[in-house]
Amino acid sequence: MKKRISILGATGSIGTQTIDILSSIDAEVVALTTNRNIELLEAQARALKPKVCAACDEAAAKQLKIALADTDIQVQSGMDGLIAAATHPDCDTVVTAVVGMVGLLPTLAAIRAGKDIALANKETLVCAGQLVMDSAAKYGVKILPVDSEHSAIFQCVQGAQGNALDRIILTASGGPFFGKSADELKTVTREQALQHPNWSMGAKITTDSATMMNKGLELIEAMWLYGLPEDQIDIVVHRESIIHSLIEFADGAVLAQLGLPDMRLPIQYALTYPERLPCKVPRLSLAEIGRLTFFAPDDAAFPAMRLARRAAREKGNLGAVMNGANEAAVGLFLQDALPFWQIPELVAFAMDEVPMQENPTLDDILESDRAARAAVNHWKMR
Ligand code: NDP
Ligand code: MG
């Protein structure tokens, strides 16, 4: 059946790879959004002929409107534009590929409008996992994971025949600083942090991979998607990124999903599930790879994983606080305004500083995010 999709964050790493696999699947694009890369968005719009385009940045949206004036594509701006793209009546599936908690409101709006979600934007579940999963259940929509680890788990779960999972094992590449001590991390640079060994991704998630916060965010994402508590989710460093994650059953049997590190396969599976179609990704040759290695994660050097375990245990608004503080700290780091090693320190500071709330409403979540960002910026000004 033809998929009619809206792509939020079409100009990013996941967005462009989504567009790349469209020729392999039966799909029509209803909406595309960017923050401010209107040159690329215009080219995408001319090729794919969506009904709606949106640029979140108001000035960029004005320029986009002029650029697309000779077409009948509607151009919108800001959060309203993102929500219009996410809820367009012609669309049945929304690919959420914006970066950061800015994805939360459009994702919730899409769920309420009955759209299935191909979820790349992990910050949404980290901030508001309970609200998002509750609304998905209420409106009967699917949350289809795009993140490679969660897609791997989802693919393995297809063989579970209703048996409960005993354990999830998330694999982590270890990022560019694998093997470094806390002391050695004091002198690493932005350029080094942005050199990921296996994946080419946006700057925020690449930094998260370097601090290992990415694996922490993924632990919380897995908890909400698969309903397992934090102490049944393990993390193992697997440098080659060939095994994308594993699940274990009561009898100790372990299932894994393998493949070359290429996001196009998990993106495609989220859009064709339960069907499998030929995919552009090169095939795996284990003999060529030769060896797969595994290590225990080092949470003394990379404390972000411990912070995420705390947020996963305590729940409430703590995920939103941790995520907001992390987005603010990573933003400072990417502007060369904060050393690498202080990112987890600032996140820990905000988690202690912002008051805990047990059953946060959406407004509480948004307020916790603001308070966490303010705590980081305030700490920085001291
Ligand atoms: P990118 O930075 O490459 O792209 C982000 C997209 O979101 C761009 O289209 C960008 O527009 C848009 N955007 C950025 N800020 C805003 C904003 N404030 N409002 C609206 N739109 C905005 O990120 P990635 O594609 O790497 O990651 C996207 C999401 O997917 C993240 O949550 C990430 O954690 C997750 N993910 C990514 C993976 C990957 O391989 N890249 C793997 C697994 C998960 P513009 O082009 O103007 O900046
Ligand atoms: Mg991942």
Side-chain angles (χ1 to χ4, degrees):
M1 206 177 75
K2 199 182 201 77
K3 283 265 172 220
R4 298 174 307 161
I5 64 175
S6 292
I7 309 175
L8 311 185
T11 51
S13 160
I14 294 289
T16 51
Q17 293 181 86
T18 304
I19 291 172
D20 187 42
I21 57 103
L22 290 179
S23 55
S24 311
I25 67 176
D26 187 16
E28 176 189 318
V29 171
V30 176
L32 296 169
T33 82
T34 183
N35 188 24
R36 51 171 77 102
N37 188 349
I38 52 163
E39 222 167 277
L40 179 55
L41 199 81
E42 183 194 347
Q44 293 174 337
R46 290 194 183 275
L48 299 166
K49 305 189 176 18
K51 303 258 166 52
V52 174
C53 279
C56 279
D57 184 85
E58 300 287 339
K62 275 194 190 127
Q63 280 177 291
L64 184 64
K65 207 168 203 160
I66 296 167
L68 291 174
D70 63 317
T71 70
D72 50 15
I73 301 170
Q74 211 190 96
V75 176
Q76 301 217 21
S77 67
M79 182 52 75
D80 290 349
L82 268 183
I83 291 176
T87 57
H88 194 285
D90 290 356
C91 136
D92 51 53
T93 305
V94 178
V95 179
T96 62
V98 292
V99 56
M101 87 89 77
V102 69
L104 175 59
L105 294 179
T107 304
L108 283 172
I111 293 172
R112 288 191 195 114
K115 319 295 185 194
D116 287 332
I117 308 292
L119 183 91
N121 178 249
K122 59 191 82 180
E123 293 90 347
T124 292
L125 280 184
V126 172
C127 291
Q130 190 77 59
L131 290 179
V132 171
M133 297 312 286
D134 287 353
S135 351
K138 179 170 167 194
Y139 291 92
V141 306
K142 296 191 205 63
I143 308 281
L144 300 150
V146 167
D147 210 345
S148 59
E149 295 76 4
H150 306 76
S151 172
I153 297 162
F154 184 58
Q155 293 178 58
C156 293
V157 163
Q158 306 307 313
Q161 301 272 338
N163 287 293
L165 306 188
D166 218 36
R167 190 162 64 120
I168 284 174
I169 305 162
L170 291 174
T171 51
S173 71
F177 302 141
F178 169 73
K180 284 198 189 298
S181 65
D183 251 9
E184 288 169 322
L185 290 175
K186 295 235 153 137
T187 54
V188 300
T189 65
R190 191 180 97 110
E191 284 59 42
Q192 290 169 325
L194 291 178
Q195 290 297 322
H196 196 282
N198 303 341
W199 301 93
S200 158
M201 311 180 287
K204 193 264 177 178
I205 180 175
T206 305
T207 308
D208 286 344
S209 299
T211 60
M212 300 285 288
M213 178 56 94
N214 185 48
K215 218 41 61 178
L217 300 175
E218 290 184 355
L219 181 138
I220 300 175
E221 187 184 8
M223 172 180 85
W224 291 116
L225 286 172
Y226 299 105
L228 280 197
E230 157 283 316
D231 58 2
Q232 283 171 264
I233 306 174
D234 286 356
I235 296 171
V236 66
V237 175
H238 165 46
R239 294 293 284 158
E240 297 80 10
S241 300
I242 296 295
I243 299 183
H244 298 305
S245 277
L246 314 91
I247 61 173
E248 188 178 277
F249 295 105
D251 58 1
V254 173
L255 302 190
Q257 186 258 332
L258 285 73
L260 293 174
D262 191 316
M263 287 306 296
R264 290 175 300 177
L265 189 137
I267 295 169
Q268 179 167 312
Y269 189 64
L271 294 175
T272 64
Y273 165 82
E275 206 181 342
R276 288 190 184 270
L277 295 179
C279 183
K280 290 179 172 176
V281 175
R283 297 294 170 99
L284 175 66
S285 161
L286 284 174
E288 247 170 60
I289 290 159
R291 242 160 72 91
L292 299 178
T293 57
F294 306 93
F295 304 89
D298 178 358
D299 62 3
F302 299 96
M305 285 179 288
R306 278 207 301 254
L307 299 176
R309 285 200 181 274
R310 177 180 158 204
R313 270 194 310 275
E314 295 182 23
K315 301 192 181 69
N317 64 336
L318 203 53
V321 172
M322 183 189 81
N323 180 74
N326 184 58
E327 285 191 33
V330 169
L332 290 171
F333 170 71
L334 289 173
Q335 294 160 34
D336 280 328
L338 189 78
F340 180 80
W341 62 273
Q342 273 187 336
I343 298 172
E345 247 192 47
L346 259 67
V347 175
F349 168 76
M351 287 170 77
D352 289 336
E353 192 77 1
V354 178
M356 179 76 192
Q357 278 170 308
E358 261 176 40
N359 290 302
T361 61
L362 179 58
D363 281 344
D364 295 334
I365 299 272
L366 298 174
E367 181 47 40
S368 299
D369 172 73
R370 270 192 292 272
R373 289 169 197 263
V376 166
N377 290 320
H378 185 245
W379 187 96
K380 181 72 184 94
M381 309 279 277
R382 285 190 315 190

